[in-house]
Amino acid sequence: MIEFRQVSKVFDSGGKKVEALKNIQLSVNKGDIFGVIGFSGAGKSTLIRTVNLLEYPTSGEVIVKGKNLAKLSHNEIREAKKDIGMIFQHFNLINSRNVFHNVAMPLLLSGYNKKAVEDQVYETLRFVGLEEKANNYPDQLSGGQKQRVGIARALVTNPSILLCDEATSALDPETTKSILNLLKRINEEYNITILIITHEMEVIKEICNRVGVMEDGQIIETGSVYEVFAHPKTATTRNFVKSVIRDEVPQSVYQLLKEKDHFSRIFKIEFFGADSGQPIVSKTAKIYNVEINVLFGNITELQGIPFGNLVVELIGDNYEIERAIEYIISQEIEVKEVIEDGSEQRIDIERVVGNALHG
Amino acid sequence: MEVSKELILNALWETLYMVSVSLFFGGIIGIFLGVLLVVTRKGHILENRLIYSSVNPIVNIFRSIPFIILLVAIIPFTRLIVGTSIGTTAAIVPLVLHIGPYFSRLVENSLLEVDEGIIEAAKAMGATPLQIIYRFLMPEAFSSLILSLTTVTIGLIGATAMAGAIGGGGLGDVAITYGYQRFSSITILVTVVILVILVQAIQEIGNRLERKARRI
């Protein structure tokens, strides 16, 4: 649907060359909700702008539905843009025009007749749930409503691609959720391919099926959201993952490790799909002669698959504990032991026990 | 000597005539040049260095010539355009050349205030440059343009006073020839009062229209 082939973009600002995009290689498939995440300045805004030629690539090609837009004539580009809707962080509505007029604008530009415009606009407004606000002006709307107008405006020409440029970054968490739900509905009901750029991992977690992580003008990691969340390869990605799933072991666990007066070992069990947390814990407790005490848990759901970690204390004799852990590992679940770091009197080293136990 | 009512009314009519006609043509020139100054600048929708770097200094030149000098300096041009170099109609030519470039700067300011995001949205939906100008830029700058036009109108009233130098007539001319040169304080007073009322009224109308445009 959208394919970036060796796309580079160099900005020339006062004789200084800034490389915003470096050899971007990325493809977005039809029906995807593809999220590009990165900190500000990573180049993601520039990336999304090359799709509808708000920015022209310095080199490389952006192929949209089989066509390299940059090679088309001005008229052909304008036509092609009607198939690519775009929404913005700051909505970019015409403040001097009411909601109806704002949504109608793309149709007015194409010279549709009045009746067709009216039908189309009201249908789209109904879809985004703003039918009764048609005669209001943007400054009379809340942020969420403004973004809905922006979405309606982007959808009114029935595009097959929707570009979202930090579409929820100016909204509060509650409104963000509702806008994300709306985007998901757009993807499902109209089968519109969505490309989202954001710095909020929450957005990726909520609706994307595939993700690309961007840093310093490059895509440093890409894959299904699940893959990338479960096995982040770079520090940047790990940081983003941490922003939605707390990965570190809380202090209280270390405290307990130090102060407990019975024999036990503490493990961090990481769930990447497969079975969810509880059955494994209770099964293990049933089969082996260990007591399992859940100290801390952070399980969320990614595209319907449970994902996260549990910190558990296994109480029993060492042999049983080892066997129990071996069992858990055999269920394709990663386990790390939480141990005390002697040198610092603090316990913050996680030893991977998988290999030791198997080897 | 006494100033007759007819004299004052006639002068008022001349002032209004000069102001409205030159506002019409000056307005067109101002909007045209102002839009040109915005859209041809670097990074804008019709970036064109040649046009920008020629229009920009021309506007500056006209803005820097004192009106009283412009009035007499362009007499041959005035004769070419309206067939005469004296009288009320002849005064309109320099008034237009005076106010057009001035207005263009105000138009330029108003248009530059329009949020760039709106232009980006327009581009994203495939608007042509002309569509961006009249569907996005102008409506967004409309209320600000009304205020600019008000300022220009009031500026024009001031400028018409000097039109007397080439026999343009008008209230300012009456004030000078009858009031100042013939020591008729009452004439000065009457004309000044009329001018004050005129300016107040125009400013008030401008403010109201602007508020209406902003839906306040």
Side-chain angles (χ1 to χ4, degrees):
Chain A
M1 199 69 170
I2 308 171
E3 207 185 329
F4 297 87
R5 294 184 187 158
Q6 302 294 318
V7 175
S8 295
K9 174 75 187 182
V10 181
F11 286 109
D12 201 348
S13 62
K16 225 175 78 186
K17 296 218 184 296
V18 181
E19 235 183 317
L21 299 177
K22 300 170 187 166
N23 276 320
I24 299 286
Q25 195 76 31
L26 192 70
S27 53
V28 178
N29 304 325
K30 188 166 168 48
D32 268 349
I33 302 187
F34 195 105
V36 174
I37 189 163
F39 294 112
S40 52
K44 49 195 197 309
S45 270
T46 312
L47 181 76
I48 202 168
R49 278 170 175 65
T50 59
V51 178
N52 59 357
L53 293 183
L54 290 180
E55 297 287 356
Y56 279 75
T58 311
S59 66
E61 303 179 312
V62 182
I63 309 292
V64 180
K65 292 178 91 181
K67 282 186 209 157
N68 179 357
L69 297 196
K71 290 252 163 65
L72 302 180
S73 73
H74 283 296
N75 277 330
E76 286 170 322
I77 290 174
R78 274 195 280 278
E79 269 321 297
K81 280 182 178 177
K82 280 160 194 159
D83 197 34
I84 309 172
M86 186 169 192
I87 57 173
F88 305 87
Q89 178 174 6
H90 298 296
F91 327 119
N92 297 354
L93 303 177
I94 310 171
N95 295 309
S96 53
R97 295 283 181 261
N98 65 18
V99 167
F100 177 90
H101 197 118
N102 265 285
V103 176
M105 189 53 87
L107 302 176
L108 297 174
L109 297 179
S110 305
Y112 278 65
N113 73 53
K114 218 179 141 196
K115 182 82 179 70
V117 170
E118 230 165 78
D119 291 349
Q120 196 79 1
V121 169
Y122 276 108
E123 193 199 319
T124 318
L125 281 177
R126 250 195 306 282
F127 179 78
V128 301
L130 279 182
E131 209 186 351
E132 71 285 3
K133 297 280 184 193
N135 294 318
N136 286 61
Y137 284 82
D139 56 14
Q140 299 165 327
L141 303 178
S142 69
Q145 289 171 329
K146 283 183 199 170
Q147 195 56 290
R148 280 168 194 272
V149 176
I151 290 171
R153 181 174 69 177
L155 291 183
V156 78
T157 52
N158 283 321
S160 50
I161 295 171
L162 178 64
L163 306 175
C164 307
D165 179 10
E166 297 275 10
T168 58
S169 300
L171 305 175
D172 61 67
E174 202 56 38
T175 316
T176 295
K177 278 236 161 72
S178 80
I179 293 295
L180 291 178
N181 284 337
L182 180 59
L183 292 177
K184 196 155 201 169
R185 260 179 67 210
I186 290 165
N187 173 257
E188 284 164 359
E189 288 177 33
Y190 292 117
N191 195 26
I192 292 176
T193 305
I194 300 182
L195 175 60
I196 294 181
I197 64 157
T198 182
H199 64 269
E200 298 167 313
M201 200 61 184
E202 201 63 37
V203 172
I204 308 280
K205 183 189 133 189
E206 250 358 272
I207 61 167
C208 296
N209 65 321
R210 296 212 302 138
V211 62
V213 182
M214 210 170 168
E215 189 177 46
D216 196 23
Q218 287 168 308
I219 296 280
I220 54 171
E221 227 169 297
T222 172
S224 82
V225 168
Y226 203 84
E227 259 167 56
V228 173
F229 268 60
H231 306 287
K233 292 186 190 75
T234 61
T236 306
T237 311
R238 267 193 291 278
N239 279 334
F240 278 122
V241 173
K242 267 186 204 162
S243 70
V244 283
I245 297 160
R246 223 182 124 184
D247 193 42
E248 71 273 25
V249 175
Q251 271 311 316
S252 61
V253 172
Y254 293 120
Q255 204 60 35
L256 175 78
L257 195 54
K258 227 188 297 179
E259 290 165 2
K260 67 187 164 88
D261 49 10
H262 53 275
F263 179 77
S264 69
R265 284 165 69 182
I266 296 178
F267 297 92
K268 188 167 146 221
I269 304 174
E270 298 184 332
F271 297 97
F272 305 129
D275 291 301
S276 72
Q278 287 314 317
I280 266 298
V281 171
S282 56
K283 261 193 228 162
T284 311
K286 239 180 234 168
I287 303 173
Y288 302 96
N289 191 18
V290 289
E291 231 178 282
I292 301 182
N293 186 12
V294 176
L295 302 175
F296 178 76
N298 199 341
I299 308 273
T300 183
E301 205 174 69
L302 276 185
Q303 297 169 323
I305 312 172
F307 176 88
N309 60 65
L310 278 184
V311 177
V312 294
E313 181 186 22
L314 269 63
I315 308 168
D317 70 53
N318 200 31
Y319 176 68
E320 281 297 306
I321 291 176
E322 296 259 328
R323 282 193 2 151
I325 289 303
E326 200 164 350
Y327 169 74
I328 295 173
I329 290 166
S330 72
Q331 307 293 305
E332 310 263 305
I333 291 170
E334 282 185 33
V335 179
K336 290 171 180 171
E337 183 165 10
V338 181
I339 56 165
E340 194 172 353
D341 179 11
S343 64
E344 282 223 46
Q345 286 307 330
R346 273 187 53 205
I347 312 121
D348 53 13
I349 288 205
E350 293 164 18
R351 182 165 61 89
V352 181
V353 295
N355 290 341
L357 288 167
H358 283 295
Chain B
M1 65 158 277
E2 282 300 305
V3 239
S4 68
K5 206 171 139 194
E6 285 74 38
L7 185 75
I8 295 289
L9 279 177
N10 190 43
L12 177 63
W13 161 246
E14 282 167 343
T15 295
L16 292 177
Y17 169 72
M18 282 187 286
V19 167
S20 52
V21 176
S22 40
L23 189 66
F24 178 75
F25 291 106
I28 291 173
I29 291 175
I31 288 176
F32 180 75
L33 291 180
V35 168
L36 211 58
L37 282 170
V38 170
V39 298
T40 60
R41 68 171 48 215
K42 197 171 178 336
H44 219 284
I45 52 174
L46 289 172
E47 179 176 342
N48 187 315
R49 217 175 141 177
L50 186 73
I51 293 180
Y52 183 79
S53 56
S54 21
V55 172
N56 193 41
I58 290 173
V59 167
N60 283 343
I61 289 168
F62 275 96
R63 293 265 288 117
S64 53
I65 302 172
F67 180 60
I68 191 77
I69 309 288
L70 185 74
L71 207 57
V72 290
I74 62 155
I75 280 176
F77 178 72
T78 305
R79 195 177 287 127
L80 190 76
I81 299 287
V82 292
T84 172
S85 59
I86 50 165
T88 316
T89 305
I92 287 172
V93 177
L95 281 171
V96 167
L97 291 184
H98 171 67
I99 218 68
Y102 175 40
F103 188 40
S104 75
R105 283 292 177 215
L106 298 179
V107 170
E108 183 189 21
N109 286 343
S110 298
L111 294 182
L112 285 176
E113 273 167 31
V114 175
D115 184 1
E116 277 180 48
I118 285 166
I119 300 168
E120 191 167 54
K123 283 186 189 165
M125 53 180 99
T128 64
L130 217 57
Q131 284 174 329
I132 294 179
I133 294 167
Y134 79 84
R135 292 256 191 212
F136 295 84
L137 283 178
M138 296 303 261
E140 282 299 89
F142 190 64
S143 60
S144 165
L145 287 174
I146 290 174
L147 285 184
S148 299
L149 201 64
T150 309
T151 306
V152 161
T153 309
I154 290 167
L156 262 177
I157 292 173
T160 55
M162 284 175 258
I166 57 163
L171 287 169
D173 192 27
V174 167
I176 291 169
T177 50
Y178 291 84
Y180 176 68
Q181 286 161 1
R182 299 189 198 172
F183 310 106
S184 165
S185 306
I186 185 75
T187 309
I188 292 184
L189 190 69
V190 169
T191 50
V192 165
V193 166
I194 292 174
L195 286 171
V196 167
I197 292 170
L198 205 55
V199 168
Q200 291 283 5
I202 289 167
Q203 190 64 54
E204 186 56 31
I205 291 168
N207 287 349
R208 282 187 187 187
L209 287 176
E210 190 261 353
R211 276 203 295 275
K212 208 176 159 206
R214 284 199 295 139
R215 296 173 288 104
I216 293 174

